[in-house]
Amino acid sequence: MSELRAATRQSTARTGIIEFDGARGIVSIPCTISDVSGTGARLKLDWSLSFPKQATLIFADGLRKTCRVAWQKRRLLGVAFADGVASQDEQALMMTEEEQALHRRHIGAQVRGAREARGYTESQIANLIGVSPEFVSRAESGEISIPLHQLTHIADLLLVDLDSLVAGPASVDVSASDVELAAR
């Protein structure tokens, strides 16, 4: 089954608060952030209620993201960030180190797959984007993050959408340890 959302979500289990303007002022509802991506999140609520089209998601560390409700099914709520893709600093606050490592491995595997499909070597891509072959190797293995400007350049060179590199179907072999990390 293909992924229809704009970015791959990473499992998490964080607490947060949904805030919105109610008839009698600001309403604050506790929630569990069950998964998150650079473009949105899936939330679990303690009870079912009707939500307005827009609200603010407040992460436990104070990060605030204005969201629009994409869907609601009983106590589950899917939200999309109203201001587009979260910055790398914001995403770092949204996910644990382990979750970020899993995300880097996913992106690296997508880049490797696209590069190999086009017949490029690591050295050729490195030369074209102005980095070392070691950087490409480490990025494809998920050891380091690929800056957005370089990821955009790679997508252009490989004739693929940036979204397919960041949010394409999972191509990383998920080991038991990865599943345990994502479940924390």
Side-chain angles (χ1 to χ4, degrees):
M1 183 174 183
S2 67
E3 190 72 32
L4 297 177
R5 64 183 51 88
T8 302
R9 289 195 180 157
Q10 302 298 320
S11 294
T12 187
R14 303 268 179 104
T15 58
I17 296 173
I18 287 284
E19 251 184 22
F20 57 90
D21 290 326
R24 297 183 181 178
I26 300 288
V27 177
S28 297
I29 308 291
C31 65
T32 300
I33 304 165
S34 61
D35 54 41
V36 67
S37 74
T39 59
R42 182 175 50 159
L43 313 174
K44 291 181 183 175
L45 308 171
D46 290 337
W47 59 85
S48 299
L49 12 130
S50 180
F51 270 83
K53 292 183 183 191
Q54 191 161 314
T56 301
L57 174 59
I58 305 169
F59 291 81
D61 60 10
L63 175 66
R64 300 173 72 89
K65 292 296 286 179
T66 302
C67 304
R68 61 178 169 70
V69 176
W71 56 268
Q72 182 176 2
K73 186 173 182 181
R74 296 187 189 106
R75 298 182 330 143
L76 295 177
L77 188 69
V79 297
F81 299 141
D83 59 354
V85 178
S87 71
Q88 291 214 346
D89 289 341
E90 289 175 324
Q91 289 184 45
L93 294 173
M94 293 176 195
M95 292 188 276
T96 65
E97 289 293 325
E98 294 86 7
E99 293 163 348
Q100 291 176 50
L102 185 61
H103 192 61
R104 281 193 309 270
R105 286 195 302 273
H106 171 79
I107 291 172
Q110 294 296 105
V111 168
R112 180 185 307 112
R115 176 184 57 77
E116 290 173 347
R118 290 282 177 197
Y120 284 100
T121 66
E122 287 179 357
S123 294
Q124 289 171 321
I125 288 294
N127 187 44
L128 290 168
I129 65 170
V131 298
S132 70
E134 179 189 12
F135 173 87
V136 174
S137 177
R138 292 182 67 207
E140 287 184 355
S141 67
E143 293 176 41
I144 58 174
S145 294
I146 305 170
L148 183 58
H149 72 279
Q150 289 174 332
L151 197 56
T152 302
H153 193 182
I154 291 168
D156 290 344
L157 289 169
L158 300 176
L159 304 173
V160 296
D161 291 331
L162 180 60
D163 286 348
S164 71
L165 295 180
V166 176
S171 61
V172 176
D173 292 332
V174 177
S175 66
S177 62
D178 289 340
V179 171
E180 290 173 17
L181 289 175
R184 287 185 193 168

